[in-house]
Amino acid sequence: MTLQISQRGKEYLKTAQTLLRTAGTMTDQLIAAQLKALADDYERRAEKASLDDAAKALVQSDER
């Protein structure tokens, strides 16, 4: 099964990409590691949001 990324998921991924780009420019490795961890969290949020949105859309289509 292929999961479509929801708009909300895309926004989370966009934020994750920004965090990763910023982490790549950091000279302080501790800060860079924290930004990478935060980016990982946003990637997980993107997946969860897309799954939740897909489930919600499925329920709504079943109600029709």
Side-chain angles (χ1 to χ4, degrees):
M1 180 178 152
T2 303
L3 176 67
Q4 290 284 359
I5 298 175
S6 68
Q7 186 60 39
R8 191 165 51 125
K10 288 177 185 178
E11 291 299 321
Y12 279 124
L13 285 177
K14 184 177 167 185
T15 300
Q17 291 169 349
T18 300
L19 289 167
L20 288 173
R21 274 195 311 275
T22 303
T25 66
M26 290 285 150
T27 55
D28 186 325
Q29 293 305 307
L30 181 60
I31 303 271
Q34 290 173 334
L35 289 172
K36 288 177 185 176
L38 189 56
D40 288 343
D41 182 55
Y42 271 85
E43 288 173 349
R44 283 188 296 276
R45 289 175 188 225
E47 184 176 352
K48 184 177 183 324
S50 292
L51 287 171
D52 291 348
D53 292 347
K56 188 177 182 179
L58 185 61
V59 167
Q60 287 176 347
S61 70
D62 285 346
E63 290 176 350
R64 293 181 188 165

